[in-house]
């Protein structure tokens, strides 16, 4: 048993940390305030290989491991959670399934430019009336010569307003007791594929999401990912990886709020001393530090298991469940440590708190994570 | 990063797990009810090398390291928390003597503690009015020729009624020297002038006897001092750092047992026409239990690995102990809830687990002390 990072992992963490401090953190408040898509930051993130961290170099990625991806996600998210999720969606929800289930042509044609950050990917599973329960999916794909015709809508599609490619899931077989899904790659500009304006959200303002529509949208056979009917498997395997990314996003947000709280507690005085000298504050900080460490180890364990190629469904669910709920608690306490200032948009913990809240919802709500963990326990 | 145990670690873990399942688990309820651990069990732990897991083989130990030690404590605690704490404290006393003692002290005590056939190792630090704040201790050691004379009272001494050797902290300087004027002494369990009080009637950990001690002109030779005269506080803090890894592991073991029994019960017991395992209310509790246990386990292993690597680990041990102990109580509480009325009875182990878990946020540094340690590190 050993809890040390390799030199390479340390290097990517330090590189991402230094980049985040220099290029991302100074702009985070402005991006949030204006809900501005951070194009110029994304370009630089692409140069650092952050859009395909764990994708081999021959397919356009940086060729690192999942743990390195986890480290980079934490660093970027600590500076700006919106940049974190843009990165996470591209890495985990788009590149990962295309790499794992796609064919050579798709890896060359679609994966390489997305993994290198030249193009952007997104992931379409959720629908207006079908989130956690994919059996109720309405979007369907009908066989046609040389491909499928897609009809339906997908919502909360992070990166949707800007993405060049979407991996979208549609029902291709309703004949059995359980519907069967298939995963398709659809390029922006394909006739019948349109995007709504960006959603208005509580947090992660700079990460745009939207509803996308498919109206008699023809997708060629060449764009089917994996086998016809295997879509649900593709989606679930993808989310196993995606949850590691979101766990690390949550950890990054929480760490940022914790660090700000430590700094504030040393500076701010009450009753004649810095508030850091009051046990009430010390205990909040101690609990924050403890919970962040616990979340990080759960996330790193899941990342390591993914790298080893062993099933990590329950471990990813535990990491995501714990880290996301932890981030909400920690950012809540960070506001408490800051008092009235914490409630003001002048201090970043206000943004951290809003940004943290989504992590309990997307890529499987906390309730879904508990179902996954319990199912694994009760097998 | 590697979360898998090495071969040696897995070997110790398996040995502890097999022994726990075969010998300890069948008598765990009886140990609790009778408030005593059969000496044969302690001897058997010694034979398996579990009383000195992280002690060098030259001193009779297994030389298997801190991670192996933590894994072993966890496995034993899964069956019986009383035996786990007995094992944990003796291991720590052996380590402290091996680390801070002279070679004569180490070769005199360590092999005996490792064998487990002459009695246990004990820490005598807490006093009736000095627990979390050892600087407030009033037990004194007065030099008299070639001897030290100990006077005072110690409280909450785990295993104190069956001690082979006790590490006793006493003040050699005046009270105003605080934590500085404190030294440690190795005192035999049968030393003249050492009076062992009546075992405490405790909520849990009933198999492990906890006693008050009285030192009345208890004379020990000058060679009984562990470390140098002003090293007492330092030794106490280092021993507690290590001890917290053991208590974290104990808490994880208790919690695992509670979860495993809850899963079994939930699959078996039916309400509203279905096993209660099919109700989300129960599934949620199980999922949260598992998540917290895994996090606690990883924190405890990280602290163990850092200690084993010779790196500073006070913060990590405090985090592991704080998180694991509070998780254990929450998990055991849920286990009782899942068992319903049966969980409140002694017919099911969940009741014992909750009682046993409760002490883990108190001894070897309360949760409040752990938070102080962690906050100090955050604010440094």
């Amino acid at each position: 048993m050993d809890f040390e990072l390799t030199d390479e992992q340390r290097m990517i963490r330090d590189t991402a940390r230094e980049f985040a401090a220099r290029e991302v953190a100074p702009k985070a408040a402005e991006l949030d305030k204006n809900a501005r898509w951070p194009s110029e930051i994304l370009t630089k993130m692409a140069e650092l290989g952050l859009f395909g961290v764990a994708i081999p170099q021959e397919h356009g990625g940086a060729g690192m491991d999942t743990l390195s991806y986890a480290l980079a996600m934490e660093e970027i998210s600590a500076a700006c959670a919106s940049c974190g999720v843009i990165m996470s969606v591209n890495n985990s929800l788009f590149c990962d399934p295309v790499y794992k289930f796609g064919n050579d042509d798709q890896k060359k044609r679609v994966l390489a430019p997305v993994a290198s950050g030249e193009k952007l990917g997104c992931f379409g599973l959720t629908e207006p009336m079908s989130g956690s329960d994919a059996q109720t999916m309405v979007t369907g794909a009908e066989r046609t010569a040389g491909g499928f015709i897609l009809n339906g809508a997908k919502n909360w599609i992070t990166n949707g307003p800007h993405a060049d490619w979407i991996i979208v899931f549609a029902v291709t077989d309703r004949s059995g007791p359980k519907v069967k899904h298939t995963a398709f790659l659809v390029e922006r500009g394909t006739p019948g594929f349109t995007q709504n304006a960006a959603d208005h959200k509580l947090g992660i303002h700079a990460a745009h999401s939207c509803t996308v529509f498919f109206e008699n949208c023809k997708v060629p056979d060449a764009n089917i990912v994996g086998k016809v009917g295997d879509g649900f498997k593709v989606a679930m395997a993808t989310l196993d990886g995606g949850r590691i990314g979101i766990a690390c996003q949550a950890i990054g947000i929480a760490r940022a709020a914790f660090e700000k709280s430590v700094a504030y507690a040393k500076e701010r005085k009450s009753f004649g001393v810095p508030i850091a000298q009051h046990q009430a504050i010390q205990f909040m900080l101690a609990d924050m530090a403890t919970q962040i460490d616990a979340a990080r180890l759960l996330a790193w364990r899941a990342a390591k298991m993914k790298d080893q190629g062993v099933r990590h469904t329950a471990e990813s669910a535990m990491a995501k469940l714990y880290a996301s709920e932890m981030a909400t608690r920690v950012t809540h306490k960070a506001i408490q440590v800051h008092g009235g200032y914490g409630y003001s948009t002048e201090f970043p913990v206000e943004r951290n708190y809003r940004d943290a809240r989504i992590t309990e919802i997307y890529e499987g709500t906390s309730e879904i994570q508990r179902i996954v963990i319990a199912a694994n326990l009760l097998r | 990063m590697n979360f898998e145990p090495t071969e040696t670690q897995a070997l110790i873990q398996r040995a502890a797990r097999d022994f726990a399942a075969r010998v300890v688990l069948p008598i765990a309820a009886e140990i609790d009810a009778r408030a005593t651990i059969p000496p044969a069990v302690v001897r058997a732990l010694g034979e398996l090398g579990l009383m000195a897991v992280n002690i060098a083989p030259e001193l009779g130990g297994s030389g298997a390291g801190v991670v192996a030690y933590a894994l072993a404590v966890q496995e034993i605690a899964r069956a019986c928390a009383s035996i786990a704490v007995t094992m944990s404290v003796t291991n720590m006393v052996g380590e402290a003597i091996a680390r801070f003692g002279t070679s004569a002290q180490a070769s005199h005590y360590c092999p005996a503690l490792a064998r487990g056939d002459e009695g246990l190792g004990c820490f005598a630090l807490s006093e009736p009015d000095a627990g979390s704040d050892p600087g407030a201790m009033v037990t004194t050691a007065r030099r008299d020729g070639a001897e030290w004379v100990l006077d005072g009272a110690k409280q909450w001494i785990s295993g104190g009624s069956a001690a082979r050797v006790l590490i006793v902290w006493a003040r050699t300087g005046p009270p105003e020297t605080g934590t500085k004027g404190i030294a440690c002494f190795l005192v035999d369990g049968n030393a003249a002038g050492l009076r062992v009080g009546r075992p405490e009637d405790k909520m849990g950990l009933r198999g492990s006897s906890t006693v008050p001690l009285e030192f009345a002109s208890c004379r020990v030779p000058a060679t009984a001092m562990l470390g140098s005269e002003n090293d007492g506080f330092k030794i106490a803090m280092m021993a507690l750092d290590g001890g917290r890894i053991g208590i974290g592991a104990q808490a994880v073991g208790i919690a695992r047992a509670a979860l495993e029994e809850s899963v079994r019960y939930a699959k078996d017991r039916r309400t509203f026409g279905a096993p209660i395992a099919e109700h989300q209310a129960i599934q949620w509790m199980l999922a949260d239990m598992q998540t917290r246990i895994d996090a606690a386990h990883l924190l405890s292993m990280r602290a163990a690995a850092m200690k084993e690597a010779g790196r500073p680990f006070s913060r990590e041990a405090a985090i592991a102990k704080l998180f694991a102990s509070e998780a254990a109580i929450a998990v055991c509480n849920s286990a009782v809830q899942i068992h319903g009325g049966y969980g409140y009875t002694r017919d099911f182990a969940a009741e014992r687990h909750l009682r046993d878990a409760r002490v883990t946020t108190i001894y070897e540094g309360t949760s409040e002390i752990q938070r102080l340690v962690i906050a100090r590190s955050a604010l440094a």
Side-chain angles (χ1 to χ4, degrees):
Chain A
M1 225 168 289
D2 130 54
F3 292 77
E4 300 296 319
L5 299 173
T6 63
D7 288 345
E8 190 182 67
Q9 288 160 351
R10 238 186 279 271
M11 192 194 74
I12 189 160
R13 182 196 62 188
D14 295 346
T15 305
R17 180 175 295 176
E18 192 261 332
F19 169 78
R22 195 184 63 233
E23 304 282 347
V24 187
K27 292 184 171 174
E30 179 261 314
L31 292 170
D32 173 68
K33 187 173 176 213
N34 299 319
R36 181 172 74 78
W37 182 255
S39 306
E40 78 283 13
I41 294 175
L42 302 181
T43 306
K44 290 175 184 163
M45 284 169 66
E47 284 163 15
L48 287 176
L50 295 176
F51 279 96
V53 178
I55 300 296
Q57 287 175 338
E58 74 217 73
H59 299 304
M64 317 284 264
D65 56 12
T66 309
L67 196 54
S68 300
Y69 166 60
L71 294 165
M73 266 302 296
E74 177 181 331
E75 296 305 329
I76 299 297
S77 303
C80 169
S82 294
C83 293
V85 73
I86 294 168
M87 169 182 162
S88 160
V89 166
N90 200 79
N91 275 272
S92 289
L93 299 192
F94 191 89
C95 292
D96 203 36
V98 179
Y99 173 61
K100 194 164 174 191
F101 298 99
N103 58 35
D104 288 346
D105 160 61
Q106 290 163 349
K107 284 181 193 167
K108 205 168 176 184
R109 184 165 54 91
V110 184
L111 176 61
V114 177
S116 70
E118 180 197 326
K119 304 270 186 186
L120 186 70
C122 68
F123 177 85
L125 178 66
T126 300
E127 301 187 352
M129 296 307 285
S130 164
S132 297
D133 175 10
Q135 277 296 309
T136 58
M137 185 180 289
V138 176
T139 297
E142 300 284 334
R143 239 309 161 207
T144 185
F148 280 84
I149 304 281
L150 268 65
N151 275 291
K154 297 285 176 181
N155 66 345
W156 320 128
I157 307 307
T158 305
N159 294 356
H162 306 276
D164 300 284
W165 285 95
I166 186 170
I167 179 167
V168 63
F169 298 82
V171 176
T172 45
D173 182 359
R174 295 188 185 278
S175 62
K178 284 200 160 187
V179 304
K180 286 186 176 164
H181 312 76
T182 300
F184 300 93
L185 293 168
V186 184
E187 191 168 13
R188 189 182 189 83
T190 304
F193 173 38
T194 54
Q195 295 82 26
N196 247 358
D199 302 319
H200 294 282
K201 309 188 296 294
L202 174 68
I204 52 166
H205 285 163
H208 296 169
S209 68
C210 69
T211 303
V212 301
F213 300 95
F214 298 90
E215 286 172 292
N216 294 321
C217 176
K218 184 175 174 186
V219 182
D221 283 335
N223 285 8
I224 293 169
V225 181
K227 293 199 190 95
V228 171
D230 272 358
F232 188 68
K233 191 181 86 183
V234 174
M236 291 304 113
T238 302
L239 289 173
D240 283 348
R243 286 165 187 166
I244 298 170
I246 300 308
C248 295
Q249 185 201 21
I251 293 161
I253 298 169
R255 195 190 87 201
F258 168 69
E259 287 171 353
K260 296 281 186 268
S261 301
V262 168
Y264 185 80
K266 286 177 171 177
E267 208 174 274
R268 164 80 186 194
K269 288 186 168 186
S270 74
F271 303 102
V273 294
I275 60 171
Q277 290 185 23
H278 302 311
Q279 288 193 342
I281 303 297
Q282 290 173 3
F283 278 29
M284 282 196 255
L285 296 176
D287 284 339
M288 290 158 89
T290 299
Q291 293 178 25
I292 290 169
D293 276 22
R296 196 181 277 128
L297 291 175
L298 287 170
W300 288 1
R301 176 180 66 166
K304 183 71 190 180
M305 289 174 76
K306 184 169 192 289
D307 281 333
Q308 288 169 328
V310 296
R311 192 177 158 89
H312 56 97
T313 303
E315 287 77 9
S316 283
M318 281 188 245
K320 202 265 185 186
L321 169 65
Y322 186 80
S324 61
E325 297 197 340
M326 174 283 290
T328 304
R329 279 194 302 272
V330 164
T331 53
H332 172 96
K333 289 295 184 192
I335 289 186
Q336 199 66 23
V337 170
H338 282 72
Y341 291 105
Y343 196 66
S344 132
T345 55
E346 280 170 53
F347 281 75
V349 291
E350 183 268 348
R351 169 170 50 86
N352 295 149
Y353 182 60
R354 286 184 289 105
D355 287 348
R357 191 62 184 82
I358 185 60
T359 62
E360 291 181 64
I361 297 171
Y362 60 16
E363 303 207 19
T365 59
S366 288
E367 291 64 41
I368 290 296
Q369 310 309 328
R370 289 190 171 91
I371 288 178
V372 170
I373 299 160
N376 182 68
L377 252 175
L378 293 165
R379 264 196 315 223
Chain B
M1 198 77 46
N2 176 12
F3 298 91
E4 300 298 317
T6 62
E7 241 174 80
T8 308
Q9 290 160 357
L11 198 75
I12 295 275
Q13 183 185 34
R14 257 199 315 276
R17 183 181 295 164
D18 293 348
F19 179 73
R22 195 166 39 80
V23 177
V24 181
L25 192 58
I27 57 169
E30 197 186 323
I31 286 173
D32 176 61
R34 296 201 177 167
T36 180
I37 297 170
V41 173
V42 176
R43 281 199 300 276
L45 284 170
E47 278 161 27
L48 284 169
L50 297 181
M51 292 302 257
V53 181
N54 186 37
I55 309 264
E58 305 87 85
L59 293 173
S62 304
V66 188
V67 170
Y69 159 72
L71 288 168
V73 171
Q74 188 189 121
E75 292 299 333
I76 299 294
R78 229 174 112 215
C80 172
S82 293
I83 295 180
V85 72
T86 303
M87 174 189 155
S88 168
V89 175
T90 299
N91 269 274
M92 283 300 114
V93 168
E95 268 191 43
I97 297 174
R99 163 134 194 218
F100 298 104
T102 61
S103 57
Q105 288 170 332
S107 56
H108 182 63
Y109 288 115
C110 290
L113 290 176
R115 284 195 309 273
D117 59 356
E118 293 178 21
L120 309 172
C122 300
F123 282 112
L125 176 64
S126 290
E127 298 188 356
D129 291 310
S132 297
D133 174 16
M137 76 170 54
V138 292
T139 296
T140 56
R142 179 175 53 84
R143 186 71 192 239
D144 183 20
E147 293 179 322
W148 287 93
V149 186
L150 304 180
D151 280 286
K154 293 287 175 181
Q155 186 78 354
W156 318 125
I157 310 308
S158 297
S161 55
R164 169 67 186 84
V165 60
L166 303 117
I167 301 182
V168 180
W169 277 264
R171 187 168 283 298
T172 50
E176 57 271 21
T177 55
T179 54
K180 290 201 181 69
I182 295 174
C184 287
F185 299 90
L186 297 173
V187 180
D188 285 358
N190 59 4
L194 164 58
R195 206 179 68 80
V196 176
R198 195 172 57 87
E200 304 290 346
D201 191 9
K202 306 192 298 297
M203 177 191 221
L205 282 191
R206 295 183 64 82
S208 158
S209 102
T210 307
V211 293
L213 303 175
E214 226 182 87
F215 296 89
S217 298
C218 176
R219 289 180 171 269
V220 294
T223 53
M225 187 180 281
L226 182 66
S228 357
E229 192 168 334
N230 295 322
D231 278 355
F233 186 71
K234 186 184 87 188
I235 294 173
M237 290 305 111
M238 292 179 87
L240 283 174
D241 281 345
R244 283 163 191 168
I245 293 172
I247 302 309
Q250 182 201 28
V252 174
I254 299 170
R256 276 180 62 201
L259 172 62
E260 286 160 15
E261 276 141 28
S262 299
V263 166
R264 203 174 312 127
Y265 185 82
K267 285 178 170 174
D268 190 48
R269 164 79 184 191
R270 298 171 75 88
T271 63
F272 304 102
I276 61 171
E278 289 181 20
H279 303 313
Q280 288 193 338
I282 302 298
Q283 291 174 4
W284 260 224
M285 283 195 257
L286 295 173
D288 284 337
M289 291 157 85
Q290 172 82 78
T291 301
R292 294 180 79 160
I293 289 170
D294 278 26
H297 171 68
L298 291 169
L299 288 170
S300 129
M301 289 300 139
R302 177 182 66 165
M306 287 178 73
K307 180 181 170 195
E308 189 163 322
R311 298 180 46 199
F313 66 97
S314 295
R315 171 188 179 275
E316 286 72 18
I319 285 180
K321 201 266 186 185
L322 170 65
F323 190 97
S325 60
E326 300 204 335
I329 292 175
V331 164
C332 292
N333 206 35
S334 293
V336 168
Q337 194 67 22
I338 288 169
H339 283 75
Y342 291 107
Y344 199 67
T345 71
R346 299 215 167 162
D347 295 338
F348 284 80
E351 186 266 350
R352 169 167 54 88
H353 296 321
L354 180 58
R355 284 186 289 110
D356 287 347
R358 190 60 189 86
V359 75
T360 60
T361 60
I362 299 171
Y363 65 7
E364 305 216 14
T366 59
S367 286
E368 290 65 41
I369 290 296
Q370 309 310 326
R371 287 190 172 91
L372 289 180
V373 171
I374 299 160
R376 209 170 289 142
S377 153
L379 292 164

